[in-house]
Every structure is written in C-alpha cells, then in structure tokens.
Amino acid sequence: MITVLLADDQPLVRAGLRALLDTEDDLRVLGEAADGAEAVREARRLRPDVVLMDIRMPELDGLAATRALTSTGVRVVVVTTFDLDEYVYEALRSGASGFLVKDAEPAEIRHAVRVAARGDALLSPGVTRRLIEEFTARPAALDTGRLAPLTGREREVLARVGRGLTNARIAEELAMSPHTVKTHVNRVMTKLAVHDRAQLVVLAYETGLIRPGA
C-alpha cells in the first residue's frame, strides 16, 4: 500500500485527487493540508510515502515545503496549475521527484505517485521538452569542479541517467549488471548530494556533462 498526503489550498482539488487515488487498491490518502506549513506538519506526523504538493499556497509555499520534506527523505510530486519554467527548475532543485500540471490525465497522476514511491522520478512530457529546450538555449561548459568527486565510471552512468535511460538499459550499454548500475547511481547521488534521478538529470545538463542532441 502506497500512502499519500494531499497539499493544496483548494478543497475541490484535494477532493478530486482523493477520489482519483482512493479508488486504487494500492493507493491510500492518509490526510490533507491546505497550506505549506500544514503540509510539513502533517507529513512529519503521518509519514506518507508520497506528498502531492501544490506550489502557490499560503503560510509556506510548496517549494519551501518541498525543500523541508525532501531533506528528510519524503518523496514529493509537485502538481500545479502553473507550469512556468522557474517553477519546474526550482521544484526539481528542491528535491521533487516529479512535476505534473493539474490537467494531466488521471492515469498519469496515479503513475507518478507509484514511480515516486519506488524512488524514481517522473516529469510530464511537456515539462521534459521545455527543460531540454532551456538547456539547448544556454549550453553549459563542462563543470569539472562539481563532478570532481565522481570516478570515470560514475560519470558514464550519470551521463546515461541524464539521457533518461533506465538502469537496465544503462547496464546493457556499459556491460554490467543492473544491480551494479543501481549501486553506481546511489553513490553518485551521495557524492553530489542529490535526492533522486530527476535532480541527477538537471545536474547532468547544468554541468555540461551531456548536451541536448549530443
């Protein structure tokens, strides 16, 4: 059973998300929060597997709440009406495991919860496309300083994570077992102080390790 906390300042949105998730046998909504501060309190009290987090909320916005929760290991998927670029980048840098807009298909939202619960990341196709377009517009030079803690093999793994490859596909390309790939990914996360694969993708582009179209 995957447990979920809903954080949104609109009661109708929370009701819709609850109805969407509670119909599934493997998903259960533990509670709701109407602002970011309440979301942090309730997440610490209820210990859900995933928080569905709005961005624009009173008291404490969703980005600040996301930072507070992901630093303790809670998985957060941002679900918002506002898919502006600055929100996408800041949500990912804050540790969010996914970013979806509220007009996403119901199946996509349920899938995002399941993906986040197992420790992976998911971005809606439109968000992914704009993220790549942004890095295409301002390609980065290779930032060897930020990548200095990594071994050569770990850089190879990071580059493939940045390209969106699964562990199985990376294992195939690098002729190693999926378990070994998972070990490398975890070590890269630890060395670079990031929480999940979404942040690794951003970092791979920001450091110039991979470039769009390369």
Side-chain angles (χ1 to χ4, degrees):
M1 180 67 66
I2 299 171
T3 56
V4 183
L5 174 70
L6 307 176
D8 195 293
D9 63 343
Q10 298 182 40
L12 284 177
V13 172
R14 297 198 305 272
L17 289 172
R18 179 181 282 275
L20 177 68
L21 299 176
D22 276 346
T23 57
E24 299 294 299
D25 293 338
D26 63 329
L27 304 177
R28 181 163 68 94
V29 175
L30 288 182
E32 301 179 11
D35 60 63
E38 185 181 12
V40 173
R41 291 195 302 270
E42 288 298 283
R44 290 173 176 168
R45 182 177 72 87
L46 298 172
R47 298 184 179 277
D49 297 311
V50 179
V51 177
L52 290 183
M53 182 80 72
D54 189 22
I55 287 183
R56 291 189 176 180
M57 292 187 292
E59 298 297 330
L60 187 71
D61 67 41
L63 296 176
T66 295
R67 284 192 292 271
L69 292 178
T70 56
S71 65
T72 64
V74 176
R75 300 286 177 180
V76 176
V77 175
V78 172
V79 185
T80 181
T81 305
F82 305 98
D83 62 340
L84 301 177
D85 290 339
E86 59 266 29
Y87 290 151
V88 177
Y89 307 140
E90 188 57 34
L92 295 178
R93 292 182 179 118
S94 298
S97 296
F99 190 104
L100 298 170
V101 291
K102 288 179 180 176
D103 62 358
E105 293 294 327
E108 189 176 2
I109 294 175
R110 290 191 290 259
H111 178 60
V113 170
R114 295 181 176 112
V115 167
R118 65 174 183 252
D120 290 328
L122 181 141
L123 299 177
S124 65
V127 169
T128 302
R129 183 178 62 253
R130 292 197 340 274
L131 191 65
I132 292 173
E133 287 173 350
E134 170 67 13
F135 285 117
T136 301
R138 51 178 181 85
L142 183 62
D143 187 344
T144 55
R146 292 176 69 185
L147 299 177
L150 304 184
T151 65
R153 180 59 89 182
E154 287 167 350
R155 290 192 188 197
E156 290 179 330
V157 170
L158 174 58
R160 285 160 176 79
V161 171
R163 286 167 44 203
L165 301 188
T166 63
N167 284 357
R169 181 65 186 281
I170 295 172
E172 183 179 319
E173 285 200 2
L174 297 179
M176 61 176 66
S177 71
H179 176 74
T180 301
V181 172
K182 183 177 181 180
T183 299
H184 280 306
V185 171
N186 289 337
R187 286 176 179 167
V188 170
M189 288 183 183
T190 299
K191 288 182 177 182
L192 300 180
V194 301
H195 300 292
D196 57 34
R197 295 175 82 97
Q199 287 186 301
L200 286 181
V201 171
V202 172
L203 192 144
Y205 278 102
E206 283 187 332
T207 59
L209 183 63
I210 60 173
R211 293 175 174 81

